[in-house]
Amino acid sequence: MKRLLIVIAAALSLVSCGGGFTSAERKVIYAGEGDIMRVLSIDNKADSLTLRRESLPVEEAMVQSEEFLHLCNRMLATVQNPDNEGVGIAAPQVGILRRIVAVQRFDKEGHPFEFFINPEIVEYEGQTLLGSEGCLSVPDISDDVERWQRIRLRYRDEAFAEREEVIEGFTAVIFQHEIDHLDGVLFIDYIK
């Protein structure tokens, strides 16, 4: 009986700890007023150091948590902020070093934003092209970056099911940019 109570207590502690998010992550997820989160900027030394770190994988328990839903809603509000609008955002840009990105799908009708968990590019295909890029975390800078025009992407969806798809054109460029954020890479690293 005592062993059963210990197991139940351990299980409850996992549920109460936010589905795997750390207390520091939960603090960032719920910080501030309103839905728009503070975007980290290379203009701030501490932010810059965070943006250069590699993100950790998302665990299935996190995806099923209230914190995950709240984070996704706030990331979406942040990337769609009319004062600083973007076409994609990665969790590290709002201070969460987890492998989550939101990308506007210009390859789909209505150009919806979708979330991708633990995304990885498993194959680059076709040709590369130069195209102008900017970044919410790199204010007032844009420049040409060479990116692949077709990628094969493997990721987990919001139900944590594994998916794979081929993505082309501008949407493929957005994915490359956002996945770079998960590895601590910024588009300015490609500028010659």
Side-chain angles (χ1 to χ4, degrees):
M1 183 66 164
K2 187 175 184 180
R3 179 181 252 178
L4 179 61
L5 289 175
I6 291 170
V7 169
I8 291 171
L12 287 174
S13 73
L14 285 175
V15 171
S16 67
C17 78
F21 285 101
T22 67
S23 61
E25 289 170 329
R26 288 194 307 277
K27 188 175 180 181
V28 172
I29 290 168
Y30 291 104
E33 296 180 16
D35 289 332
I36 296 172
M37 301 178 82
R38 186 177 81 80
V39 176
L40 276 60
S41 171
I42 62 164
D43 291 342
N44 175 299
K45 184 173 178 148
D47 287 359
S48 188
L49 291 171
T50 299
L51 288 166
R52 292 303 191 167
R53 292 179 53 201
E54 188 172 342
S55 296
L56 297 171
V58 174
E59 301 164 13
E60 185 171 8
M62 292 174 165
V63 176
Q64 299 168 354
S65 71
E66 177 187 318
E67 285 81 4
F68 180 80
L69 180 60
H70 194 66
L71 174 60
C72 288
N73 287 335
R74 293 193 76 200
M75 284 176 63
L76 187 58
T78 303
V79 75
Q80 293 180 318
N81 177 2
D83 295 333
N84 195 22
E85 209 166 2
V87 294
I89 193 166
Q93 292 181 270
V94 294
I96 302 294
L97 289 170
R98 294 290 177 169
R99 299 186 81 79
I100 306 166
V101 300
V103 170
Q104 189 166 9
R105 296 295 303 260
F106 288 96
D107 57 340
K108 292 186 175 182
E109 187 176 332
H111 305 156
F113 272 92
E114 294 177 357
F115 282 88
F116 299 82
I117 302 157
N118 299 333
E120 61 178 320
I121 299 169
V122 294
E123 188 175 349
Y124 297 92
E125 303 172 356
Q127 62 182 7
T128 61
L129 290 176
L130 277 177
S132 183
E133 286 189 31
C135 182
L136 297 175
S137 293
V138 184
D140 304 320
I141 297 175
S142 64
D143 208 328
D144 287 340
V145 176
E146 190 169 9
R147 298 282 191 184
W148 291 90
Q149 295 302 296
R150 182 179 167 113
I151 60 169
R152 181 173 300 279
L153 183 74
R154 183 177 301 139
Y155 62 95
R156 297 277 180 170
D157 65 16
E158 293 177 57
F160 213 69
E162 189 171 290
R163 304 274 183 224
E164 192 170 299
E165 64 180 290
V166 173
I167 299 164
E168 299 181 22
F170 183 52
T171 304
V173 170
I174 300 169
F175 272 104
Q176 290 166 78
H177 179 109
E178 299 308 330
I179 291 172
D180 275 350
H181 275 296
L182 304 180
D183 296 321
V185 176
L186 300 173
F187 85 96
I188 55 176
D189 299 339
Y190 299 108
I191 297 172
K192 295 177 182 172

